[in-house]
Amino acid sequence: MTLRDDKIYILGIESSCDETAVSILSWVYKNKHKAKPKDLALAGQSKLCSDLVFSQIDQHAAFGGVVPEIAARAHLDIMDQLIKNALQEANISLEEIHAIAVTAGPGLIGGLMVGLMSAKTLALIHNKPLIGVNHLEGHALTPRLTDQISYPYLLLLVSGGHTQILLIKGLGDYERLATTIDDAIGEAFDKSAKLLGLGYPGGPKVEQAAISGDPKRFDLPRPLKGKAELDMSFSGLKTAVRRQVEQLEAVTEQDIADLCASFQLAVSDVICNRISRAMALFEERYNEAHPTIVVAGGVAANKTIRGDLDKLCHAQDKNWRMIAPPLNLCTDNAAMIAWAGLEHYLSKTKFDTNHGLEIEARSRWPLDEQANNLVGHGRRGAKV
Ligand code: KG4
Ligand code: ZN
């Protein structure tokens, strides 16, 4: 791109799961008369002019999980109004937008198609470039928007549908170091909460119940902990919770609290064990004075996990730091899609004239296309 315009506006659209989100991001290049810096995106000043999220949680709660058909219809009901509201809040018109960034995958195909068709229509009518963004890339690049983190860094992506440790080397250059071989962590939280009768989504409920619990009362397994590979497994943990419940005669509130605390400790133990190995691997490859581990995704809201990762950083010889984006940018949102769109926009010198009409919705779209597709991993595929 040329830096003729000193202010760039990107419209971001997200609809891959159960949140309809629209955001407008502005970016101003600070020193445009100097030579183009190596990391152009961080050389500008960015601001979220609007960041709207419409959650469908109430519509899915009764079913104990996301219902794809309901999700797609709900996106359709609200999308156009949300785009209008986002423009109004940012006080700009579509004409002033430089590019439209939309989640093209991975996720629930019906929802993705609603977002993509809305974005294509706007791009075509208003003659704007369209950028199809990988939802996982949105999560992966968020710390650059919130904390100006430069490449490379380690990322722990933990949500309802994905559990991955990634090496973020540069824009479009991602290496998956580890994944779950079965359930995602958020999924394990949700399923355990369900069998304890705590409701959906389970993560916050488990965390709340764990506050008054004894994390040492139940000795739950730490699957794959200590294994040389970095992959993780959480379905055994959930099964262990079920077995413990079955062994109790009458399940009291204290039992539930103790089970939640024990479960949370086991999850955090496994994560920290894997992350410490990933840190060692990072140090072998890069000589960063201040290496960074970023934790993102809905599970990153968990204070025990955050606290334990922070402690792990402090226990290292190197000056590691942990960054967790603010909660509203950890869970699904369109600001992260707008930011990833901005990074692609800045990295391109020209855009095709087809307004991205060839972009397809992809229910599966790994960030690291070279990584092995592990059996069972990301089965749910939608909650990311
Ligand atoms: O990223 P996210 O909002 O949505 C997608 O998965 O795309 O993540 C939702 C997941 C759910 O499984 C939820 O139970 C979990 O994140 N979660 C938590 C907490 N808050 C949300 N898990 C543990 N502790 C929490 N405080
Ligand atoms: Zn997500």
Side-chain angles (χ1 to χ4, degrees):
M1 69 136 233
T2 61
L3 289 171
R4 269 188 329 224
D5 302 340
D6 47 8
K7 193 166 196 174
I8 289 170
Y9 288 102
I10 308 284
L11 167 67
I13 296 176
E14 155 67 34
S15 58
S16 64
C17 193
D18 59 348
E19 261 104 23
T20 320
V22 180
S23 182
I24 291 165
L25 173 80
S26 72
W27 179 89
V28 186
Y29 187 46
K30 282 185 277 194
N31 44 354
K32 62 180 168 147
H33 299 301
K34 292 193 189 146
K36 193 170 164 178
K38 206 173 124 233
D39 198 338
L40 180 57
L42 293 193
Q45 204 147 37
S46 41
K47 185 178 148 220
L48 288 173
C49 307
S50 55
D51 184 20
L52 305 180
V53 180
F54 183 84
S55 173
Q56 307 172 354
I57 244 170
D58 293 346
Q59 298 180 55
H60 300 289
F63 303 94
V66 180
V67 183
E69 176 73 19
I70 294 177
R73 284 170 187 270
H75 287 303
L76 195 59
D77 283 347
I78 195 89
M79 182 59 84
D80 42 7
Q81 187 61 47
L82 216 56
I83 293 172
K84 207 171 152 198
N85 293 355
L87 286 164
Q88 246 165 22
E89 201 177 298
N91 200 21
I92 62 166
S93 69
L94 267 166
E95 299 315 320
E96 293 167 86
I97 297 282
H98 291 72
I100 300 170
V102 60
T103 305
L108 295 171
I109 202 73
L112 290 170
M113 283 161 70
V114 171
L116 201 53
M117 282 313 292
S118 308
K120 283 184 179 180
T121 309
L122 295 178
L124 192 59
I125 293 174
H126 296 275
N127 194 22
K128 304 290 175 187
L130 181 67
I131 301 163
V133 173
N134 182 317
H135 177 90
L136 299 173
E137 185 176 53
H139 280 302
L141 303 186
T142 301
R144 290 174 51 75
L145 165 67
T146 56
D147 294 87
Q148 286 76 50
I149 301 298
S150 52
Y151 300 118
Y153 53 90
L154 263 185
L155 172 75
L156 171 68
L157 180 56
V158 277
S159 67
H162 280 259
T163 299
Q164 303 188 3
I165 303 173
L166 291 145
L167 199 50
I168 308 299
K169 303 180 202 172
L171 180 65
D173 192 2
Y174 315 116
E175 183 179 337
R176 197 188 75 198
L177 300 178
T179 185
T180 173
I181 59 167
D182 40 54
D183 290 354
I185 300 186
E187 200 176 351
F189 267 98
D190 292 340
K191 286 179 178 170
S192 299
K194 197 171 180 180
L195 65 92
L196 292 171
L198 295 177
Y200 173 85
K205 306 243 161 78
V206 169
E207 179 169 27
Q208 183 58 34
I211 292 172
S212 47
D214 172 8
K216 303 240 164 69
R217 174 164 162 209
F218 296 100
D219 187 17
L220 298 176
R222 270 65 168 161
L224 299 186
K225 185 180 163 183
K227 286 262 174 4
E229 334 62 84
L230 289 170
D231 288 329
M232 292 163 271
S233 160
F234 294 99
S235 73
L237 194 50
K238 167 201 68 196
T239 309
V241 171
R242 201 186 59 231
R243 287 219 184 92
Q244 292 291 353
V245 171
E246 284 163 4
Q247 278 166 24
L248 292 167
E249 279 179 13
V251 184
T252 65
E253 282 211 5
Q254 192 56 51
D255 293 334
I256 291 178
D258 293 345
L259 268 167
C260 287
S262 304
F263 170 84
Q264 206 169 245
L265 180 68
V267 169
S268 193
D269 256 13
V270 172
I271 291 177
C272 286
N273 174 267
R274 289 357 234 163
I275 289 296
S276 65
R277 283 163 181 267
M279 284 170 155
L281 206 139
F282 186 93
E283 286 179 17
E284 273 169 32
R285 296 223 204 149
Y286 302 99
N287 191 20
E288 295 279 303
H290 208 30
T292 307
I293 164 90
V294 174
V295 50
V299 183
N302 189 284
K303 292 190 196 70
T304 299
I305 296 175
R306 275 184 192 227
D308 289 352
L309 280 170
D310 208 33
K311 275 187 230 145
L312 181 69
C313 283
H314 286 112
Q316 306 300 307
D317 291 338
K318 277 237 175 176
N319 210 0
W320 276 88
R321 64 178 160 174
M322 188 205 74
I323 299 278
L327 204 54
N328 61 321
L329 296 179
C330 258
T331 51
D332 287 350
N333 64 86
M336 67 180 190
I337 304 304
W339 173 264
L342 173 81
E343 291 224 29
H344 285 289
Y345 184 78
L346 293 176
S347 73
K348 288 199 177 185
T349 44
K350 67 174 185 142
F351 283 89
D352 61 39
T353 49
N354 199 26
H355 306 102
L357 295 187
E358 73 290 347
I359 298 172
E360 285 177 359
R362 295 174 65 177
S363 57
R364 281 184 175 267
W365 184 3
L367 260 192
D368 177 356
E369 307 259 10
Q370 312 301 321
N372 292 337
N373 200 356
L374 292 184
V375 182
H377 123 261
R379 272 176 315 187
R380 210 160 68 165
K383 285 290 277 175
V384 175

